[in-house]
Amino acid sequence: MTNQRIDRAVSAEFVTSAARFVDMPSSQLPEVAVVGRSNVGKSSLINALVNRRNLARTSRTPGKTQTVNFYLIDQSFYLVDLPGLGYAKVSRSQREAWGRLIRGYVRQRAALRLVVHLVDSRHELTDLDLEVASIVRENDRRYLVLLTKTDKLNQKQRAASSRRIKETLGSYGLEIPVIETSAVKKRGIDETWDWIEALLRTEGDG
Ligand code: GTP
Ligand code: MG
């Protein structure tokens, strides 16, 4: 896969941060949630999607995003940046609170239309990733998996990584798109937009 067109004009603005379910906005706009392990590259990918360097705060240190952050895109839907799952360096009770927040959001949030699950292209799916997949499946959410940081792999390794992760998800009954991305190289950004737009257009109760 080559680098793609990155000139898609997107308007994006930070709207609010929520530390609790009740603090989330009550607007009727659809939401596209970005989930994944701590440090997997969620905030970086959001920045790449909206073509802004620093809309979502990123960090070399895991645990940067500690609240649920809502970004309004093109006045038409929210991209939602969630805290990383499984971040080890906070207290157990804080980690569990985030876990509950994220699970509750995926299970109950009426506006949620699409779960974009980020997985590090260099690693196997972890137990936390498999838990995300199973919550998504149980709740019949629309689902897209993005492999992150593929600039760290060569073409052969990328293909192997996609295949491996597709197989694992397939064995859980999830036949879903898996897109190779890199926030650094802006790889897979256009393809991700195409899927987000297509999945947001589809009617249904997902
Ligand atoms: P938390 O908010 O802590 O859960 O992390 P996050 O998932 O939002 O990750 P973030 O975007 O903050 O990125 C974590 C680290 O990975 C940073 O050092 C980024 O620069 C790096 N990173 C993110 N995306 C890429 C990528 O596509 N390629 C490479 N090489 N590094 C990346
Ligand atoms: Mg983050």
Side-chain angles (χ1 to χ4, degrees):
M1 193 185 303
T2 55
N3 293 354
Q4 311 210 3
R5 183 166 60 86
I6 53 161
D7 57 356
R8 194 182 290 248
V10 182
S11 83
E13 72 187 89
F14 170 74
V15 175
T16 191
S17 268
R20 300 172 306 168
F21 204 79
V22 293
D23 299 326
M24 294 182 189
S26 54
S27 111
Q28 300 300 308
L29 290 176
E31 292 172 10
V32 175
V34 179
V35 302
R37 281 176 35 234
S38 184
N39 212 42
V40 73
K42 296 177 294 298
S43 300
S44 301
L45 198 95
I46 287 178
N47 288 332
L49 284 170
V50 302
N51 211 0
R52 297 260 293 272
R53 199 174 288 275
N54 234 331
L55 183 69
R57 299 288 299 283
T58 65
S59 170
R60 209 181 286 277
T61 326
K64 180 70 192 174
T65 309
Q66 306 211 349
T67 50
V68 182
N69 297 317
F70 290 79
Y71 300 95
L72 179 61
I73 306 300
D74 289 342
Q75 307 296 321
S76 65
F77 70 94
Y78 286 114
L79 260 184
V80 181
D81 190 10
L82 291 157
L85 281 164
Y87 174 50
K89 290 200 183 128
V90 288
S91 68
R92 188 195 175 103
S93 63
Q94 176 64 272
R95 195 161 61 236
E96 286 171 356
W98 288 350
R100 276 196 302 279
L101 184 70
I102 295 164
R103 284 179 207 101
Y105 174 85
V106 173
R107 289 197 176 113
Q108 294 163 32
R109 184 76 170 161
L112 178 60
R113 285 289 171 283
L114 170 63
V115 175
V116 178
H117 181 184
L118 272 54
V119 175
D120 193 313
S121 58
R122 298 165 298 173
H123 304 147
E124 299 291 333
L125 294 173
T126 64
D127 288 349
L128 281 167
D129 289 317
L130 294 173
E131 191 189 340
V132 169
S134 81
I135 295 172
V136 162
R137 192 186 45 185
E138 280 161 20
N139 292 275
D140 245 343
R141 294 298 193 183
R142 275 176 222 150
Y143 190 35
L144 192 59
V145 167
L146 308 185
L147 303 185
T148 63
K149 310 189 188 185
T150 63
D151 53 285
K152 301 211 182 216
L153 299 179
N154 65 34
Q155 199 174 346
K156 205 170 160 186
Q157 294 169 318
R158 288 204 298 274
S161 171
S162 292
R163 196 167 49 240
R164 201 178 62 233
I165 286 169
K166 267 191 180 159
E167 272 170 19
T168 308
L169 292 167
S171 72
Y172 285 80
L174 290 159
E175 305 291 339
I176 49 147
V178 174
I179 303 170
E180 296 168 19
T181 71
S182 161
V184 169
K185 294 236 165 106
K186 305 281 194 272
R187 177 184 286 146
I189 301 305
D190 235 38
E191 194 182 349
T192 300
W193 269 128
D194 288 344
W195 275 106
I196 290 175
E197 285 170 357
L199 290 166
L200 276 178
R201 267 199 309 271
T202 323
E203 287 300 318
D205 53 12

